[in-house]
Structure formats: structure tokens, C-alpha cells
Amino acid sequence: MTSKLAKGSFLLVLGAFLFRIGGYIYKVAMANLLGPSGYGILSFTWPLQNFLIMIATAGLPPAIAKHVSEYYAKDDPEMVKAVISISIRMMIALGLVFSVVIFVLAKPIAIGFFNNSQAIVPFQLIALITPFSVIVGALRGTFQGFYQMKNILITRAFELFFMVTVAVGLVFGGFYVAGAVVGTAVGFMMAMVAALYLFQRDVRGKINPPKKLLARSRRQLTTYDKYRVAKMLIIFSVPVVITGLAELALYDTGTLVIGHYMPSSDAGFFNVASTVARFPLIISMAVATSVLPAAAEAMSLNDHTLLRTYILQSYRYVSFIVMPLCVGTIVFAKPIISLLFGNAYIPGAQSLQILAAGMLFFTLYTISSSIAQGLGRPRLPMYVLIFGTTINIILSIILVPAIGINGGAIATTIAALVLMSILMWRTLILAHVSLPIVEFGKIIIASIAMGVVFLTFPQTKIYLIAALILSPFIYLGILSVIGGLKSEDVRMLYKVSSKLGPLSAIVNSLIRLIERFAR
């Protein structure tokens, strides 16, 4: 019953992990090539780039995923095609408009807000990204709706490979921050090429019935029908895009406020900390991507048992993996930053410790948000996120001038805690589901106990590597002893082990050792 969710989530977790590693290669390379000041300027472009993409896509990819999943389950290929084609047209039009807008506003933003003339050209080059990113976003939403998670990973692989290689080459060639931005544009362009090919290969046949079935299965949509589809998409997507913008504000308020009040090098320190702290989000994003169409399908089938299973499994998968990751990050913040970005960025270590806790809260919020969208309640995360983002903005403006970059980290963490508490509570009530508190409590206890063990380790790179090797044994061992390991966890571990190649034998030995404690 949970195989669709588990398989989709696992593929995305595995692929997103590799993608994030590649993203770290990109950021590590940029941080070392550009230095804290140049990297700080590059970090200013990311909030603007993400904001522009979110506005241009109008929040439609989640809407595409939801409605494609529903109409395909109802065997209505014409409505599936209408959802896809109308969404793509809307997104392309918006993408072109906002590309012009950001090009015109680049200079006023760089000079007026950041007081940095070196940011003008990189901001202008952001306009190159939007036309390609909106098409990629629409096609990824389509793949999500058909549970074709592998195709999403393929497009991300193309995006990453060309982004990294082109950006590094251009920065080496002397194009500084502008070269890094152009690399991102090329990455999206090649991802678009891959997505179009995969759409033709894997989706076209699903929405075009064979000729012998065409006469009795096809119905022509009228202009009014298409208007209703567009209205349906907009009604769903408007709160989603507002939610997305608020989410971006939650992520990037610290960087923007620091960029306004402090030198760009401080923004570089903060962005390094934020980048590392967000690592666990690849887990929650992968599960959230799978649970949205899964929840929508369960709702359309009126199957509460299936819905409850999807929800509980989603929270458990995320907590099971993310909690020990966050604890380990808090303990080894300095050597992590030193290993990845160099000693020049160690001033961001304390911010990383604070943000690691905040991202733990935000991962659970992310799952709740996706479930709420799948249940047809996109306004709920929107309202909660707007409230939390407002708290973050107010606290950042107060705390950053007073205590520096740590103020931005504290503001983000407090806001994330508020978001998680409110939305998780409301989503569970909406779905008529109760969390097994004792099970989740055991995960927390095992993670904290592991962290206490690692507190005795010296804060060096060698001991960090040792902790990475020992952490699965310590964490799973403690979890097994206190009765927190379930039989489904063991099955998931075996599935993960089967993908590890030569390491599978060693990992399987560990799993068999703890399997006897599983419930």
C-alpha cells in the first residue's frame, strides 16, 4: 500500500542527495574561487533568481502535479492534456514578462538596496534564466503527477552538470560572479532539452489513446472548458505561489537583511551556514514531492486508511533520517564548514548550529504543507507561512543590526518553530490523524544520545569523518535497544542497502544485527 510513496520518495532522496552533493561542489567551488566577498554577492542573486522563478511559474507546478494525478486516475486524458498545455502557455507568458522586469530593476536593486555596484551585471543576467526555468518547472510538475520521479532526477542531473561545468569554466576565465549566473542559465537550458525529450518519450503516449480507442475515449474541450481549467489552476496556484514566496522570504530574509546592513563577506558567511543547514531538506522535499499526488489520489478515492498511512509514513521517514543529521550538524559545525568551504568561512559556524535546529523544524513544516496541498487546502500553509515569515522579517530587522549574522539565524529558527507547530497541528486535525508520540519520542532520544556521544570527540576534520562512519551504528543501535525500530524501517534499510553496491554486504550485516530488535 505504501510502495508508491516509498519508491517515489526513495528515488528522489537518492537522486536529490547526489544532486545536492553536486550543488555543494558548485558552491564550494564558487566560495573558493570568489572569496567571501564575491560569494556574498553571488548569494544576493539567489533570492532574486528564486523569487523571479516563483513569480514566473505562478505556483503552477504543484497544481499541474495535483490535477494530472487526479484526472489520470479518473481516466480522462483530454483533461490531463488541457491542464498541461494551458499551464505551459501561462508560464511562458509570465516568464517573458518578468525577465524584462528584473533586467530593468537590476541597477536600482543593486545600488539602492545592497549598495554594491558589482551586483548590477549579475542581477541583469538573472533574466536569462527565467524562460528556460518555467518550461522545466511545468514538465517536472507533469512528471510528478505521473509519479515519474526518475525523470525529475534526470532533468536535475542535466541542470546540475551544465551549471557546474559552465560556471566554473567562466569564473576561471575571469568573468567573476557574472560567470556563475550564466552557468545557472545554461544549466536550466539543458534541463529543458532533457525534459522535452522525456516528455515525448514517457508522457505523450499516456495522454494520447490508441487509435482504436480514440473514437470512444476522446472528447473535445470547448473554449469554456479550457477557461474553467485555467480558472481551476489559478485558484489552486495563487495560494501556492504566495506560500512559495513567503517560503523564499523565510529562507532568504537573513541574507537580504545582512546584505543591507553589513558587508557582502558577512552575507557569504551566513549563506554558507544556511547552505549546510538546509541539507536535511533534500529528505523532506523528496518525501513531500511524493506525498502531494499520493494524498490527492487517496482523497479522490475517499480512502482514509490509505491517506492516514501516507501521512504517518511521510512524517516518520523524515524524522527517522533528519533528526540525527541535524544533531550531528550542531555538534560538528566548525569542522563541517572547514572541510567544505575552508577556514575562511568558520565565522559562520555558530549560525550553522542555530540554523540546523531551525531546518529540523522546517522539514516537518514542509511535509505538512505538501499534505495540506494534496488535501486541497493550499491556503492553510499560505496563511501559516505568511505569519511565520512576518515574524522572521521583524526579528531579522531587530536582531541583525544588534548581534550580526547570528541574529538572522535566530530569527529564522524561531519562525520555523512557529511554522511547524501551527501547520502540523492543523494538518493532522484536517486529515483526522494522530501522531504516535511515543514512536517519535524514541527517535528524538536516540538522536540526542548519539549527539551526547559525539560531544566527547575533538572538533577536527578527522573526528568528523570518524563520526560519519560511526553514526549509523550508534544511532540505529540506540534506537534498537530502546524499541524504536519498526519492521518497516528494516525493510526500508534493506532497500537502501541494495543500492549501495560493494557496501551492501557490510550494511546488510548491520541490518541483520539490529533486525531482531524490530517490532
Side-chain angles (χ1 to χ4, degrees):
M1 182 166 56
T2 62
S3 60
K4 184 180 290 186
L5 176 62
K7 181 179 179 180
S9 298
F10 174 74
L11 285 174
L12 286 178
V13 168
L14 181 62
F17 176 78
L18 298 175
F19 181 78
R20 185 56 62 98
I21 293 299
Y24 276 128
I25 293 173
Y26 168 75
K27 291 192 173 184
V28 167
M30 294 301 102
N32 285 276
L33 291 172
L34 299 174
S37 181
Y39 187 74
I41 295 173
L42 180 61
S43 72
F44 298 155
T45 69
W46 293 325
L48 294 180
Q49 171 188 316
N50 294 332
F51 175 83
L52 179 62
I53 292 174
M54 180 61 66
I55 291 290
T57 57
L60 286 171
I64 297 171
K66 171 178 168 57
H67 293 297
V68 164
S69 176
E70 288 181 350
Y71 285 117
Y72 188 68
K74 295 177 181 178
D75 194 24
D76 192 343
E78 289 304 312
M79 283 298 293
V80 173
K81 285 192 288 187
V83 167
I84 297 171
S85 63
I86 292 172
S87 298
I88 291 177
R89 292 174 187 175
M90 293 169 62
M91 291 167 69
I92 290 176
L94 289 171
L96 293 174
V97 169
F98 284 101
S99 290
V100 175
V101 170
I102 194 63
F103 186 86
V104 173
L105 295 179
K107 185 174 181 179
I109 294 173
I111 301 297
F113 186 83
F114 292 106
N115 302 309
N116 196 319
S117 60
Q118 290 182 303
I120 295 175
V121 173
F123 287 174
Q124 290 174 330
L125 290 172
I126 293 173
L128 295 175
I129 298 172
T130 312
F132 308 120
S133 66
V134 293
I135 298 175
V136 172
L139 295 176
R140 284 175 179 167
T142 302
F143 297 146
Q144 182 184 352
F146 283 109
Y147 296 97
Q148 295 174 348
M149 308 308 177
K150 184 177 179 180
N151 286 348
I152 296 177
L153 300 184
I154 293 172
T155 62
R156 286 178 175 172
F158 271 77
E159 175 191 339
L160 174 64
F161 175 78
F162 285 98
M163 177 183 70
V164 173
T165 54
V166 174
V168 170
L170 290 176
V171 173
F172 263 120
F175 289 92
Y176 201 46
V177 180
V181 179
V182 172
T184 302
V186 174
F188 273 111
M189 179 180 69
M190 298 310 297
M192 180 192 71
V193 173
L196 289 171
Y197 168 77
L198 293 171
F199 180 86
Q200 292 290 335
R201 189 190 71 178
D202 298 333
V203 175
R204 184 72 69 182
K206 291 180 178 293
I207 58 179
N208 287 320
K211 291 183 178 180
K212 63 180 180 180
L213 300 177
L214 194 61
R216 55 190 176 90
S217 66
R218 183 174 183 178
R219 62 186 178 88
Q220 294 293 330
L221 297 181
T222 65
T223 302
Y224 178 71
D225 290 331
K226 294 178 181 179
Y227 166 78
R228 290 178 57 198
V229 171
K231 181 180 178 181
M232 173 185 68
L233 292 169
I234 292 172
I235 290 174
F236 184 92
S237 65
V238 167
V240 172
V241 73
I242 295 175
T243 301
L245 292 174
E247 185 174 311
L248 292 177
L250 183 74
Y251 277 144
D252 298 320
T253 293
T255 299
L256 296 176
V257 174
I258 290 169
H260 179 72
Y261 286 107
M262 305 177 71
S264 60
S265 58
D266 287 319
F269 300 144
F270 182 83
N271 193 269
V272 161
S274 179
T275 297
V276 177
R278 293 185 197 183
F279 183 84
L281 289 180
I282 66 174
I283 309 295
S284 63
M285 292 297 183
V287 177
T289 301
S290 294
V291 78
L292 191 159
E297 177 184 343
M299 283 291 291
S300 66
L301 298 174
N302 198 28
D303 191 335
H304 182 265
T305 301
L306 182 63
L307 176 64
R308 180 180 182 277
T309 302
Y310 282 153
I311 292 173
L312 293 182
Q313 288 287 3
S314 298
Y315 284 124
R316 182 170 178 81
Y317 286 158
V318 169
S319 301
F320 185 83
I321 300 174
V322 170
M323 175 65 73
L325 281 177
C326 290
V327 171
T329 301
I330 292 172
V331 174
F332 289 103
K334 285 185 179 179
I336 288 173
I337 287 182
S338 178
L339 180 65
L340 293 175
F341 294 93
N343 293 332
Y345 292 90
I346 285 182
Q350 192 171 4
S351 292
L352 171 57
Q353 292 176 317
I354 299 169
L355 287 170
M359 289 304 104
L360 170 62
F361 303 141
F362 198 77
T363 55
L364 296 175
Y365 159 81
T366 302
I367 296 298
S368 301
S369 177
S370 193
I371 292 171
Q373 292 177 17
L375 296 176
R377 295 290 297 274
R379 289 183 177 83
L380 177 59
M382 177 187 71
Y383 296 143
V384 175
L385 192 53
I386 289 174
F387 177 66
T389 300
T390 302
I391 292 175
N392 188 27
I393 293 172
I394 294 172
L395 290 177
S396 294
I397 293 173
I398 295 172
L399 295 176
V400 168
I403 59 177
I405 63 175
N406 289 338
I410 292 171
T412 301
T413 298
I414 292 174
L417 175 60
V418 172
L419 288 170
M420 179 201 72
S421 302
I422 297 176
L423 186 60
M424 194 171 178
W425 169 61
R426 289 297 304 162
T427 300
L428 291 172
I429 291 177
L430 179 65
H432 304 290
V433 173
S434 298
L435 286 180
I437 302 300
V438 175
E439 291 185 10
F440 286 89
K442 291 177 181 178
I443 293 175
I444 295 173
I445 292 171
S447 300
I448 293 175
M450 180 195 72
V452 171
V453 172
F454 288 148
L455 284 174
T456 63
F457 284 34
Q459 295 293 298
T460 64
K461 297 176 185 177
I462 293 177
Y463 278 93
L464 167 62
I465 295 172
L468 288 173
I469 296 172
L470 294 174
S471 57
F473 300 91
I474 296 174
Y475 170 65
L476 292 175
I478 295 173
L479 192 63
S480 301
V481 170
I482 63 177
L485 198 67
K486 300 173 66 175
S487 57
E488 61 195 53
D489 298 330
V490 174
R491 289 194 294 270
M492 182 183 71
L493 291 172
Y494 274 124
K495 289 181 180 179
V496 173
S497 176
S498 67
K499 307 293 183 179
L500 298 180
L503 296 177
S504 294
I506 299 174
V507 176
N508 283 338
S509 299
L510 170 63
I511 298 172
R512 284 192 292 271
L513 183 64
I514 64 176
E515 188 174 6
R516 69 187 68 178
F517 297 100
R519 295 182 288 110

